[in-house]
Amino acid sequence: MKPTHIEHIGIAVKSLDESIPFYEKILGLKCYGFEEVRDQKVKTAFFIVGQTKIELLESTSQEGPIGKFLEKKGQGIHHIAFAMEHVGQALKEAEEKGVKLIDNTPRKGAEGLNIGFLHPKATHGVLIEFCGKK
Ligand code: ZN
């Protein structure tokens, strides 16, 4: 298993409307897409920097993962997503190496990509996502 690049960085924000202007007016990026991922109880906004996306995440429910994160830690970096050739295989390989997983098999994330999370207790405090077309 070897990630090809950082696919995206997920950032939890209180409000997309309030945070998008920073990325557009200060950093000069352009928000190119919005998507609601019901499964994750989030609304997302995307920017791209080189090969890497910035994924802003606004919670649609206090019970969702981002809602809980915001309550506990406030706004900030939520996860880092590594691009993998084959998400299912990469998850399996991590598990075989003794890494605790959140997702044993891939599920559908934003932009129709397969995604799967490793457990932050197994990754020294960083929530790591694998992300890819397969
Ligand atoms: Zn993500």
Side-chain angles (χ1 to χ4, degrees):
M1 143 169 54
K2 196 170 179 206
T4 54
H5 59 282
I6 305 279
E7 213 282 337
H8 64 267
I9 299 172
I11 300 174
V13 297
K14 278 190 214 147
S15 153
L16 292 181
D17 287 345
E18 282 172 26
S19 49
I20 285 170
F22 170 78
Y23 291 88
E24 292 198 324
K25 294 194 176 119
I26 309 297
L27 294 183
L29 301 172
K30 179 90 191 84
C31 177
Y32 71 88
F34 292 94
E35 193 174 332
E36 183 166 351
V37 183
R38 282 172 201 278
D39 179 44
Q40 289 292 295
K41 300 185 170 62
V42 287
K43 285 194 291 187
T44 62
F46 289 98
F47 302 85
I48 194 149
V49 186
Q51 270 192 296
T52 304
K53 294 164 197 156
I54 302 288
E55 181 186 70
L56 299 183
L57 302 154
E58 177 190 303
S59 181
T60 56
S61 159
Q62 288 194 339
E63 303 308 310
I66 297 300
K68 286 182 188 159
F69 179 89
L70 285 168
E71 195 177 308
K72 248 209 269 183
K73 300 194 172 168
Q75 301 190 102
I77 293 178
H78 177 259
H79 66 273
I80 295 182
F82 290 97
M84 290 292 181
E85 287 282 336
H86 196 296
V87 175
Q89 267 170 26
L91 288 171
K92 209 172 139 208
E93 219 179 298
E95 192 174 33
E96 281 164 7
K97 289 176 179 166
V99 175
K100 196 175 173 202
L101 306 179
I102 292 177
D103 300 301
N104 292 305
T105 53
R107 54 193 160 95
K108 286 289 171 203
E111 302 189 309
L113 294 172
N114 283 334
I115 65 163
F117 285 94
L118 309 185
H119 199 286
K121 281 194 178 137
T123 59
H124 311 273
V126 178
L127 181 57
I128 289 180
E129 175 187 334
F130 291 165
C131 182
K133 292 194 178 104
K134 284 191 267 179

